Amino acid sequence: MTRKSGDASRSTIRDVAARAGVSASTVSRVLGGVYPVSAATRGSVLRAVRDLDYVADARAKAIAGAGTPTLAFVLEDITGPSFALMAHGVEREATRLGHLCLVCSTEGDVRHELEFVEMMRAQRAAAVILVGGTADTPEYRERTHRMADSLASAGSRLVLCGRPPLDPGAPVTVIEYDNEGGAHTLVAHVLAQGHRRVLYLGGRADHTTALGRERGYLAAHRARGLTPDPSLVLHGDFTRDAGHRLMRQAIEDGLEFSAVVAATDMVAAGALTALHEAGLTVPGDVSLAGYDDIPFARDLHPALTTVHVPYEELGRLAVRTALERTPGAPDEHLLLGTHVVVRDSVGPPGSH
Amino acid sequence: MTRKSGDASRSTIRDVAARAGVSASTVSRVLGGVYPVSAATRGSVLRAVRDLDYVADARAKAIAGAGTPTLAFVLEDITGPSFALMAHGVEREATRLGHLCLVCSTEGDVRHELEFVEMMRAQRAAAVILVGGTADTPEYRERTHRMADSLASAGSRLVLCGRPPLDPGAPVTVIEYDNEGGAHTLVAHVLAQGHRRVLYLGGRADHTTALGRERGYLAAHRARGLTPDPSLVLHGDFTRDAGHRLMRQAIEDGLEFSAVVAATDMVAAGALTALHEAGLTVPGDVSLAGYDDIPFARDLHPALTTVHVPYEELGRLAVRTALERTPGAPDEHLLLGTHVVVRDSVGPPGSH
DNA sequence: TCCGTCATGGGAACCGGTTGCTACGGCGTT
DNA sequence: AACGCCGTAGCAACCGGTTCCCATGACGGA
C-alpha cells in the first residue's frame, strides 16, 4: 500500500515545511519554481510534498495575489443545444488559458441572474459572461449597466454574449451574432422559391434574439416589395413544445401558408412533428426552415434548412476578448456573421 | 448619478470599517448576522457597505472557515444531450443547496481528468462529480481509486455518476443507472415484435455504458433462447456521425437485419438518416430503437422508441448524496431504474 | 589570511476575512 | 450608593498561502 490513506485532513504548507526541515517560505519557493533553491533542499521539499500528497490551497493563493482567477458564465439553461455549444466554447477557451470556470443557470429568472452576478463579484471572478438573449427593456439596460459598473469596480468585467448591447459608457464587452441578417438571408431564400405566405414561429415577443430574427423576416419581405400578413407572425418560446403547439394550432385554425420559418431549430423540430401528425409532407406540402444549425438539424427528416451560428466560436471569443483585454482599452463590440445551410426542408410551393 | 462609478479597485472590510467608524470585526459581525450589534452601529455599517458597494471576498471567507465550499463536476463534453441533462441536474441541486459549481470538459482525455481533479483538490471543492461512462480497465480502477483517496484526504469526496464502481474500500459515492436492464427490456420489446436479426450499433468496445447496454442486448436474446449473430454487433462511438457511418456501412455490406438497436439516441439519429438515405422506411422496412430518451427523440420521424434515463435526477442525486453525507457513513451505491418509451420507430418485421 | 560577493534560507508582514477573549460603560438591584 | 451583570465593540490571533528584506555561510580574489 504505497498510497496515502485518507487519514489526516488536508496538510498545510507548514506541515510540509516541518517534514522537510525547512521554512514555509522555502516550500513556497520550491513550489513556485523561480527562486533559486539548492538541489538538496528542493529534493527534500518535493519528497515531503509527495509523502503528504500536498496541494496548495488555491483560495489562499488567490488571496495572496498568486493564482489564476476564475471565470464565470451565466446562462438560462445548459440543456438548450445552442447554449450548450456556447458553454462548451467558453469552457474550452477558459481552460486553454488556464482558468477554471463557474457555471450557473438562471432558469430565466432575473433575480437569479442578479444573485449570481453578486456571487461572482464575491468570488472575484476575472470576468462574468452573460449568455443568451433576453427582453431588451429600459429596465434591462439599467439593471445590466449597474451590474457592469459594480463588476468593473471590483476589478472584474461583464461580457454579454448573444445579448443586446447597453448604452455607450457601460464598461462591457459585447459579442453578438447577426440575427437580423441571418433571418433576412434565410427568408429571402424561402421567398426566392416562390413562397408568398410564410408563417413565422417566433419566440417570446420581447426577446431580443426572437425579435432580431423577426426583423429579418420582415426586412426580407420588404426587400421584395412584400408586406407579410401580420396574422402569420406567432409567438411562443424557444422550446420544442412551443413549436409543436403553435404549429398544431395554426393548422387547426386553418391558417394559410406554404412555408414555415421557425425562430430556432428546436421550435422547427416541434413544428415538423406537428406537420407530420397533420399528414402534411415537408417540403411537398409545406416548406420548413429553422435557425441555429444545431447538430440534430441534419437528422430531422427532411434534413432541416437553417442558419448556421458559430456558437462555439462565440463562447471562445467571449472569454478571449474578456481575458486578453488591456484594462484601459475601449470597450469592444463584435458582431459575428452567420450563413444559411441549405438542406432538404425548403422547396418550391406545392399544390397545397 | 447615484451609482458608484468604476473608479477604485475592490474595497476591503477595513475600508468599510473606517468609513463606518468602527472596527473590522464589527463589520464582519454585522454582515454575519448573528452577533448582537446595536441598531445605530448596524445602520452606519450597512450604509458604508452600500456606499462602497462592498462584497466580502468569498475566497478569504472560505479560508477563514466561513463560506460555502464549491462543488465541481467533470464531464467529457457538455454538448452531448445526456451530459447536458446531468449537468443541469447537478447545477440545479447545487445552487438549491447554496453551492457554486465549477465545470470542466475533459474531451475524453484521461490526463485532463487527472489535472482537473488535482485542481479541484486545490480548490478544496466539497465534492467532485465525475460524469459519464468510461473504459473500465484495471488501470481505470487504480487511477480512480487514487483520485478518491487523495480527494478524501483533502476533505473532499469523489462521486461517480453514470460510471462504473470501484473496488470496495474506495471512498467514493456511485450513482448509476441500469444500462443492462434497460437494454434488456428494450431489446425484449423488439424481439417480441418478431424480429430475429437485430443489429446493435454500439459505442466504443470498452466503454462501460456501451458494454452494459450490449450485455442487455445479449441477455434479452438468451432469455428467448436466441443467440445473436456476432456480426450484428458493431462498434463506433456515441456520436451521430458514428451512427450514420456504421449504418451506411452495414447497408452497403449487405448485412441482413430487420431491426436496429442503437447504443444512444444520437447514434440512432445518425442511423435513421442513413436509413432514409438508403430509401428504407422505418419501421416499415426496418425498425429502429435508441437509448437515452433525449428531448429530440420525439421529433425524429418516426418518433423514436427508446429507453428513458432519469439523467437530470441522476445529477441531482449525485450532489445530494455527496453533500448530505455524514463523514463516517458507509459509501453509497445507487442504481437508478429506467423504462422504455414506446413510440413509432419499432414495428413488426416487414417484407424486407 | 582577510574581505567582498553571491547563493540560499529564514523571519515577519501581508492578503482579506473570522472569531475568542477582553474591556468598558450603562443599567438594575439591594 | 456600591455592586454586579449584561450588552456591545475592539484587539489580536488565526486561516494558508506569498514575498520583501535581511542574515548567514561558502566561495573566490587580492
Side-chain angles (χ1 to χ4, degrees), chain B residues 196-232:
Chain B
R196 283 305 170 264
R197 292 188 62 80
V198 180
L199 183 64
Y200 178 71
L201 259 33
R204 288 195 298 273
D206 58 353
H207 194 279
T208 51
T209 304
L211 234 41
R213 294 174 188 181
E214 189 172 328
R215 272 197 306 275
Y217 166 89
L218 296 175
H221 280 80
R222 275 198 302 272
R224 276 200 171 249
L226 269 32
T227 46
D229 183 345
S231 69
L232 290 181

Side-chain angles (χ1 to χ4, degrees), chain B residues 320-343:
Chain B
R320 213 172 318 154
T321 56
L323 257 30
E324 293 179 353
R325 198 183 106 88
T326 52
D331 300 327
E332 290 186 89
H333 182 164
L334 270 47
L335 187 64
L336 268 58
T338 57
H339 62 264
V340 355
V341 180
V342 177
R343 296 205 180 89

Side-chain angles (χ1 to χ4, degrees), chain A residues 1-179:
Chain A
M1 176 98 175
T2 136
R3 91 171 62 97
K4 200 72 194 84
S5 60
D7 50 353
S9 65
R10 47 197 148 291
S11 42
T12 77
I13 197 170
R14 291 170 238 273
D15 299 334
V16 176
R19 184 174 242 267
V22 299
S23 75
S25 8
T26 302
V27 175
S28 175
R29 294 204 258 248
V30 168
L31 263 26
V34 286
Y35 196 89
V37 175
S38 76
T41 310
R42 149 168 293 113
S44 61
V45 167
L46 289 182
R47 183 150 3 90
V49 165
R50 207 166 8 252
D51 288 351
L52 262 34
D53 198 14
Y54 169 79
V55 188
D57 187 320
R59 303 156 319 169
K61 268 184 123 108
I63 249 192
T68 42
T70 303
L71 179 150
F73 67 98
V74 177
L75 38 64
E76 197 174 313
D77 178 4
I78 191 87
T79 278
S82 45
F83 284 144
L85 247 22
M86 284 194 262
H88 191 243
V90 167
E91 195 276 339
R92 287 289 69 202
E93 191 67 14
T95 79
R96 200 179 70 76
L97 264 31
H99 299 262
L100 246 26
C101 50
L102 284 160
V103 61
C104 313
S105 302
T106 61
E107 306 289 325
D109 188 330
V110 168
R111 283 177 320 224
H112 289 164
E113 192 174 301
L114 250 28
E115 285 168 20
F116 281 135
V117 169
E118 202 61 8
M119 284 176 146
M120 297 307 113
R121 203 153 74 89
Q123 293 288 338
R124 304 297 188 255
V128 176
I129 303 180
L130 244 45
V131 166
T134 188
D136 186 10
T137 61
E139 189 272 330
Y140 156 77
R141 288 172 186 248
E142 167 62 20
R143 164 169 50 90
T144 310
H145 196 146
R146 245 197 322 266
M147 291 200 292
D149 279 331
S150 120
L151 246 13
S153 81
S156 180
R157 180 149 187 93
L158 184 64
V159 180
L160 266 23
C161 187
R163 183 172 282 230
L166 306 179
D167 307 322
V172 80
T173 301
V174 180
I175 321 265
E176 277 186 299
Y177 44 90
D178 186 7
N179 284 310

Side-chain angles (χ1 to χ4, degrees), chain B residues 61-102:
Chain B
K61 269 183 122 109
I63 249 192
T68 43
T70 303
L71 180 150
F73 66 99
V74 177
L75 38 64
E76 195 174 314
D77 177 4
I78 192 85
T79 278
S82 44
F83 284 143
L85 247 21
M86 283 194 264
H88 191 243
V90 167
E91 195 276 339
R92 287 290 70 203
E93 191 66 16
T95 79
R96 201 179 68 78
L97 263 31
H99 299 262
L100 246 26
C101 49
L102 285 159

